[in-house]
Amino acid sequence: MKNRIAVIISASIVIFGLLIYTLATTDPTDVIGNRSITSFNAVLSAMPGYVGKDGASGGWAITSPLGERFIWGRNTDPGKSYDLTLEFDMKPFLDAGLDPEKLPEGMVKGDKIVIVSELDGDRPADPDETSPQELFSEILRSKREYISYHTALDHFGIKIGDGNVFEWAKDMGTNDKDIVFVLDPAVFIEAGADPEKVEGWLYAKVKTMDGSGRPIEIYKFLKPYNIVE
Amino acid sequence: MAKEILKITGMHCAACSARVEKVVGKMEGVEKVSVNLATEKATVFFDPDTVSLSSIVEKIEKTGYVAVSFTEMTVVDEDKLRKEKEIQALWDKFIVSAFFAVPLLYIAMGPMIWWLNFPIPSFLAPMQYPLNYAIVQIALTLPILIAGRNFYTDGFRAIINRSPNMDSLIAMGTSAAVLYSSYSVYQITAGNFGAVDNMYFETAGVIITLILLGKSLEAVSKGKTSDAIKKLIGLAPKTAVVIKDNREYEVPIDEVETGYIILVRPGEKIPVDGVVLEGITSVDESMLTGESIPVEKKAGDQVYAASINKNGMIRFEASKVGGDTALAQIIKLVEEAQGSKAPIAKMADIVSGYFVPVVFVIAVLAAAAWLIAGESLVFSLTIFISVLVIACPCALGLATPTAIMVATGKGAEHGILIKGGEALETTHKIDTVIFDKTGTITEGRPEVTDVITVGEIGRNELLQLAASAEKGSEHPLAEAIVKKAEGGGQEMLAIDRFEAIPGYGIEVEIGGRNILLGNSRLMDIRNISRTELSDRSDTLAGEGKTPMYVAADGKLAGIIAVADVVKSSSIDAINMLRSMGIEVAMITGDNRRTAEAIAKQVGITRVLSEVLPQDKSNEVKKLQAEGKKVAMVGDGINDAPALVQADIGIAIGSGTDVAIESADIVLMRSDLMGVPAAVRLSKSTIRNIKQNLFWAFGYNVIGIPIAAGFFHLFGGPLLNPIFAAAAMSLSSVSVLTNALRLKSFRPLG
């Protein structure tokens, strides 16, 4: 009987190991990854006039009706791989007391603030020959951990680093916040901005999880857009 | 009316045993049925002309259980093997389920216990890869559900048979968890990734695992409760050395027949009951009587199976074999007692019968109430599962029979055979104990101390006449006279006529002479003057001796005085009973003065003397009429009616078969310390049963409202179904563990 138990447990370990390996190495069960691509493509399709090449970076960009941009593509520096970038006007932050000198180096680009996430890994396909959808899909496949799901808003999000996220609705038909620019306020507050006075950005608490998975509520700057009525 | 014992397998809780009782009890021709969950036996009394055993078995099997006729001792061995297999199978199932439950719990609960920082592989992070997370949980849960499949097959079958049991509650509770979780998985595949928070696979998996653990521990504990029987069965030797044609043959014990001559060497066990033909030895009979001092055996003495021959080689003739040996009878007696029910179990049985449906209704109502009150479906489902899982009728079902099993087994170990749960329960209420005198308080081996003659008949002739008259009697006083005469080398005379006059003595005709031998009343009713010897008679009686008048041809011929020695344990036993607040009385047919003298020696103040055998039971009745709970302790045929009349009849093992048959408790030793020991054992057992019932009831009374969220209404705790399962398993184990405490019972405290 003990042998039988040993056989059952050994066989189970093998079967279970195979299952784990399969899950870890194949995409079909990655429902969030797969669905995030579909939803992102839907966003791109819903605002064709707002999607285009980003000349400076060589990547693709989605521009909000008020001018904020989410850029995905490769860095201009050929030695680097590709970047994710959030770009938005500095003026509302200046009006709220921001001292641009106090922002970390590289965040100020003319009258814009840029938040860049440099991604390691192989160089992606040439954006010139790749559609925005394909390029995004490629980034996601190689950097899956950058994609998350925000249950409270039913959003997917791509992490730009330091708590900054670009979010889009899983289903634009049922969501009134189709895309959302999410900024971590800490760096702006340190640079002198009064978060309550930043025009056009909603300063609010959002539910999220910290690095260890602890549920927390933290303040963020939010700028949502409803693309599809 | 036939009686049959059936072995029932597949019962898991008191609801099951109640169901079998109900179904069989309703059958036409079935007089009475009693099902014991702990021993898994049903005792059925039925009219074979109206209903057959096979139809009873068929009926039980239709209800969802397996019934097998339980008759021979060999079946006991098979039963033992089956139980061992069952325990092993349960452990195996538990090991398999635990092997999967631990990682399941880790994966499911790890992300929730964020402060402990349990590392989870990134591809299993629930908020990143919810489907992977779900698939792994399903993969880990399935083997657990397979290991616990009996809960589902038995539980749902019981529901279909409209007799839901504990398995039904587990099946419903865990099925609800699995089905809802499966729906959540479907939701995840449909894009509702938040449903990942609504999976309860680990609840189902851990509940099954914990209950398997509880069942395994329960099976082990249940096995321990019948250790006494196993020990008794293990005592029987497997072979015997038979002498045939002056040659020795070793034969299996089953092939030994009555009349066989059996050789037993020093150190060997005596294989069957018999009478010693030659050889002298001492035999350790402690396994049968609890008496540790070996007993001398010589030609003519009785030997018993399983006793150990210490130092001499003997040959004996087998008189009782197989199921007729004293050992087999003891085993049968203990088994029947263990399978019997105490009245205190009735309440638990009634509650158990209604328990499961009531719990199901409470679970549905509680879940519905929370849902209506605005709580989420998930919250209501948690309540539903918790109530189903925490309610445990099995602790209720085990509370009484396990304590009785351990107690009757423990009693047998100490030479106290208690014939049933009812006797065990009633004994603790005893407030008056009546002891028979001769053979009970005294050794029952009286000796002739004085022979006094008057008239023309001499001392030796008087003794010869009296011995010849008493030759056929088994009365201890008669035996003393015969022994005295034979010891003096006197021949016994032929008797022409013999008449016993119960309560008075005997009348015989010897060689044309009419001889009367008996007490003073016999002389009085025959108008024989005893004036000449009445003072001597009183003096002898005052010394605790029993004077017996002898008259020949209508004239007083003399007195033969017989004295019996008080057993060394009698005084201690009586003192102990009195210290327990129990009134002690002595009853005897002996004359008042003799009776009082003996009573004084042992410290008894209430003496019922000169009581005719047929009046002994009336004396018991009188005490009962005073509101006393009476135990009668005796050994003779004449004690049988009183043993039956008493609330508890206690027979001394050295006594007659009729007395033993009539008694509720048999003391294997002739030691009266068994009486206070039996009362103490009964008190300890009833206390233990009450504790068990308190815990079993209390557990449900507290557990169900907590699980239903009643205390949560007032800011109190809410029970996680996993903790409900753990608590449920713990309740059965704690009841069994408490019952096993009786194993440490010591008769003298």
Side-chain angles (χ1 to χ4, degrees):
Chain A
M1 187 56 88
K2 278 188 178 155
N3 284 343
R4 213 179 104 198
I5 295 296
V7 168
I8 290 172
I9 289 178
S10 305
S12 302
I13 290 171
V14 172
I15 294 167
F16 203 71
L18 286 172
L19 175 71
I20 294 287
Y21 176 78
T22 308
L23 292 176
T25 55
T26 55
D27 292 336
T29 57
D30 180 11
V31 283
I32 286 185
N34 294 339
R35 184 65 187 268
S36 68
I37 294 170
T38 312
S39 299
F40 189 76
N41 291 345
V43 170
L44 298 183
S45 304
M47 43 195 306
Y50 296 92
V51 178
K53 275 279 179 65
D54 176 55
S57 67
W60 290 95
I62 188 167
T63 307
S64 74
L66 293 178
E68 294 83 14
R69 295 207 304 159
F70 165 59
I71 304 156
W72 67 104
R74 65 176 179 181
N75 196 291
T76 48
D77 183 344
K80 296 259 180 83
S81 55
Y82 44 86
D83 283 349
L84 300 172
T85 306
L86 283 181
E87 183 187 285
F88 46 90
D89 282 342
M90 187 159 50
K91 188 171 182 305
F93 294 89
L94 290 174
D95 294 344
L98 177 78
D99 177 358
E101 298 294 323
K102 291 182 179 174
L103 287 173
E105 194 182 337
M107 270 188 78
V108 178
K109 193 174 165 188
D111 60 348
K112 304 284 186 187
I113 294 175
V114 289
I115 298 170
V116 178
S117 179
E118 290 185 353
L119 306 177
D120 298 328
D122 297 333
R123 287 190 59 168
D126 188 345
D128 292 337
E129 296 173 6
T130 314
S131 70
Q133 291 86 349
E134 285 169 344
L135 185 60
F136 182 80
S137 177
E138 193 179 335
I139 291 170
L140 184 138
R141 292 291 172 220
S142 58
K143 292 289 168 187
R144 169 64 181 81
E145 66 272 22
Y146 276 70
I147 300 293
S148 62
Y149 175 71
H150 188 176
T151 311
L153 294 177
D154 199 19
H155 277 177
F156 297 109
I158 187 160
K159 297 169 193 167
I160 318 291
D162 297 327
N164 304 294
V165 183
F166 174 73
E167 290 191 359
W168 64 99
K170 186 184 81 189
D171 183 356
M172 286 193 294
T174 58
N175 208 315
D176 62 353
K177 299 175 184 70
D178 295 334
I179 59 170
V180 184
F181 293 85
V182 182
L183 303 179
D184 185 79
V187 67
F188 302 104
I189 293 167
E190 279 176 25
D194 180 346
E196 303 285 357
K197 292 179 178 172
V198 180
E199 284 280 327
W201 289 84
L202 181 66
Y203 182 65
K205 267 188 172 177
V206 293
K207 285 181 183 172
T208 183
M209 286 180 184
D210 68 5
S212 60
R214 174 170 50 167
I216 51 170
E217 280 196 344
I218 51 170
Y219 278 102
K220 293 280 184 187
F221 283 125
L222 305 169
K223 196 162 219 182
Y225 292 94
N226 190 12
I227 310 294
V228 177
E229 293 295 338
Chain B
M1 194 60 60
K3 176 189 172 186
E4 194 72 41
I5 297 174
L6 298 170
K7 183 81 195 166
I8 313 278
T9 51
M11 294 193 299
H12 302 292
C13 66
C16 297
S17 52
R19 176 69 180 164
V20 175
E21 265 184 8
K22 195 175 168 187
V23 166
V24 177
K26 273 185 181 174
M27 291 178 78
E28 198 183 341
V30 173
E31 168 104 345
K32 188 182 161 195
V33 57
S34 171
V35 181
N36 188 306
L37 174 66
T39 56
E40 298 177 335
K41 283 179 197 166
T43 308
V44 190
F45 296 86
F46 63 101
D47 178 4
D49 295 333
T50 313
V51 62
S52 67
L53 181 64
S54 59
S55 58
I56 294 172
V57 168
E58 197 180 331
K59 189 79 176 174
I60 293 170
E61 293 189 342
K62 269 188 185 169
T63 315
Y65 308 97
V66 178
V68 181
S69 180
F70 189 92
T71 48
E72 299 302 325
M73 273 182 69
T74 50
V75 179
V76 177
D77 289 334
E78 283 169 20
D79 182 52
K80 188 181 157 193
L81 285 174
R82 188 189 61 77
K83 274 195 172 163
E84 281 171 1
K85 270 189 181 175
E86 194 179 297
I87 292 170
Q88 189 57 54
L90 276 168
W91 276 119
D92 290 344
K93 285 176 183 178
F94 165 68
I95 290 167
V96 169
S97 58
F99 178 79
F100 290 99
V102 170
L104 175 63
L105 192 65
Y106 180 89
I107 288 167
M109 303 300 281
M112 294 178 204
I113 313 170
W114 47 265
W115 60 90
L116 292 177
N117 263 326
F118 284 127
I120 301 277
S122 61
F123 67 92
L124 290 181
M127 297 315 294
Q128 283 282 350
Y129 296 90
L131 192 57
N132 286 2
Y133 182 69
I135 289 170
V136 168
Q137 287 199 41
I138 292 170
L140 289 168
T141 306
L142 275 176
I144 300 172
L145 297 183
I146 292 168
R149 64 190 178 282
N150 284 0
F151 293 122
Y152 300 96
T153 52
D154 296 348
F156 286 120
R157 188 171 52 206
I159 293 171
I160 292 164
N161 288 331
R162 286 180 295 165
S163 57
N165 55 18
M166 190 193 93
D167 288 349
S168 309
L169 295 178
I170 296 163
M172 283 192 287
T174 54
S175 295
V178 170
L179 288 176
Y180 186 74
S181 304
S182 302
Y183 175 71
S184 297
V185 176
Y186 163 75
Q187 287 281 302
I188 291 168
T189 58
N192 179 11
F193 307 125
V196 74
D197 289 333
N198 298 336
M199 291 198 301
Y200 290 93
F201 288 115
E202 86 286 357
T203 303
V206 175
I207 285 171
I208 295 287
T209 305
L210 287 173
I211 290 166
L212 281 172
L213 172 65
K215 289 257 173 197
S216 304
L217 294 173
E218 187 181 313
V220 171
S221 305
K222 265 166 131 179
K224 283 185 181 165
T225 59
S226 56
D227 275 356
I229 279 284
K230 285 179 196 157
K231 269 188 205 168
L232 286 171
I233 292 167
L235 290 174
K238 305 287 181 220
T239 58
V241 177
V242 174
I243 307 288
K244 212 170 181 182
D245 302 329
N246 284 326
R247 290 183 65 185
E248 294 176 15
Y249 300 92
E250 186 165 352
V251 298
I253 198 75
D254 296 342
E255 292 175 17
V256 177
E257 293 177 15
T258 54
Y260 275 25
I261 309 300
I262 293 162
L263 177 76
V264 187
R265 295 188 173 85
E268 288 179 351
K269 277 184 182 175
I270 290 166
V272 293
D273 291 1
V275 180
V276 178
L277 297 174
E278 57 179 277
I280 296 173
T281 187
S282 58
V283 175
D284 177 1
E285 293 181 344
S286 60
M287 61 292 297
L288 299 177
T289 64
E291 173 62 61
S292 56
I293 302 167
V295 185
E296 292 293 325
K297 299 283 179 182
K298 58 184 185 305
D301 286 344
Q302 187 82 34
V303 287
Y304 300 98
S307 55
I308 300 167
N309 180 24
K310 301 293 280 188
N311 50 18
M313 189 162 74
I314 54 167
R315 284 182 186 215
F316 74 95
E317 183 180 339
S319 60
K320 286 177 180 172
V321 298
D324 295 330
T325 63
L327 175 70
Q329 294 299 315
I330 290 170
I331 290 170
K332 193 179 163 203
L333 205 63
V334 174
E335 276 189 336
E336 284 185 0
Q338 291 189 333
S340 70
K341 276 190 182 174
I344 199 169
K346 281 178 188 161
M347 185 178 61
D349 285 352
I350 292 167
V351 171
S352 300
Y354 294 100
F355 193 83
V356 175
V358 167
V359 165
F360 184 71
V361 170
I362 291 173
V364 171
L365 288 179
W370 282 109
L371 200 60
I372 292 164
E375 287 292 344
S376 66
L377 181 63
V378 171
F379 184 92
S380 301
L381 186 78
T382 306
I383 295 286
F384 178 73
I385 296 169
S386 295
V387 173
L388 288 184
V389 170
I390 200 166
C392 173
C394 94
L396 276 177
L398 291 171
T400 311
T402 49
I404 285 174
M405 279 180 79
V406 178
T408 47
K410 199 68 196 170
E413 268 180 39
H414 290 287
I416 303 163
L417 297 185
I418 300 162
K419 287 191 179 172
E422 190 166 353
L424 189 60
E425 182 176 341
T426 309
T427 304
H428 92 286
K429 295 177 187 162
I430 292 301
D431 54 19
T432 305
V433 175
I434 305 174
F435 287 100
D436 168 51
K437 182 178 77 71
T438 308
T440 303
I441 289 178
T442 64
E443 290 285 357
R445 289 195 295 273
E447 289 175 1
V448 172
T449 55
D450 303 86
V451 179
I452 300 158
T453 59
V454 287
E456 54 201 40
I457 295 176
R459 188 178 181 280
N460 286 345
E461 191 184 356
L462 186 76
L463 199 58
Q464 186 184 31
L465 286 170
S468 302
E470 295 278 29
K471 179 69 179 167
S473 172
E474 285 184 352
H475 195 283
L477 298 178
E479 282 175 5
I481 294 170
V482 173
K483 196 175 162 190
K484 179 76 176 177
E486 284 178 344
Q490 290 179 326
E491 281 184 16
M492 296 295 113
L493 304 171
I495 302 169
D496 300 323
R497 187 175 70 85
F498 177 93
E499 187 188 347
I501 308 165
Y504 295 90
I506 57 168
E507 182 175 12
V508 294
E509 294 283 339
I510 302 174
R513 299 173 81 176
N514 176 267
I515 305 293
L516 288 169
L517 179 63
N519 55 26
S520 57
R521 283 173 297 164
L522 179 63
M523 300 298 124
D524 294 345
I525 60 170
R526 293 301 175 94
N527 295 318
I528 294 168
S529 171
R530 51 186 178 86
T531 320
E532 277 182 80
L533 291 175
S534 62
D535 287 347
R536 292 296 303 273
S537 172
D538 288 348
T539 307
L540 291 167
E543 293 167 2
K545 296 171 183 173
T546 303
M548 295 170 73
Y549 287 93
V550 184
D553 295 329
K555 282 185 181 174
L556 187 66
I559 289 176
I560 297 174
V562 176
D564 196 358
V565 182
V566 170
K567 285 178 189 168
S568 58
S569 63
S570 296
I571 296 171
D572 290 341
I574 287 160
N575 283 340
M576 188 173 274
L577 285 169
R578 290 171 71 176
S579 72
M580 292 161 78
I582 294 171
E583 189 186 350
V584 183
M586 187 180 83
I587 196 164
T588 177
D590 231 335
N591 68 73
R592 186 180 56 81
R593 293 201 63 170
T594 306
E596 282 177 352
I598 294 289
K600 198 176 172 187
Q601 282 183 45
V602 294
I604 293 177
T605 50
R606 187 164 189 170
V607 181
L608 309 166
S609 59
E610 297 177 32
V611 180
L612 298 176
Q614 62 268 32
D615 289 337
K616 280 189 176 178
S617 64
N618 287 333
E619 292 296 330
V620 173
K621 266 188 203 167
K622 277 183 200 167
L623 286 167
Q624 287 172 323
E626 290 172 21
K628 309 266 190 193
K629 281 276 179 191
V630 180
M632 168 74 199
V633 188
D635 68 329
I637 295 173
N638 59 347
D639 296 320
L643 290 172
V644 173
Q645 174 61 40
D647 297 288
I648 288 294
I650 302 175
I652 305 290
S654 57
T656 59
D657 289 347
V658 176
I660 291 171
E661 194 65 33
S662 309
D664 302 296
I665 296 173
V666 179
L667 305 181
M668 294 302 290
R669 279 188 281 169
S670 298
D671 183 346
L672 289 194
M673 286 305 282
V675 178
V679 176
R680 284 194 68 244
L681 181 61
S682 170
K683 284 180 188 283
S684 298
T685 309
I686 296 303
R687 192 166 51 240
N688 191 282
I689 288 173
K690 284 179 179 170
Q691 287 164 354
N692 283 349
L693 287 174
F694 173 80
W695 286 115
F697 273 114
Y699 162 83
N700 282 300
V701 165
I702 295 168
I704 292 175
I706 293 177
F710 179 76
F711 296 112
H712 191 62
L713 281 175
F714 309 101
L718 190 66
L719 201 64
N720 183 306
I722 289 175
F723 290 113
M728 178 215 186
S729 299
L730 206 64
S731 73
S732 299
V733 174
S734 62
V735 160
L736 278 159
T737 308
N738 191 44
L740 287 174
R741 283 195 313 115
L742 283 171
K743 289 185 106 177
S744 62
F745 171 81
R746 292 184 196 287
L748 302 179

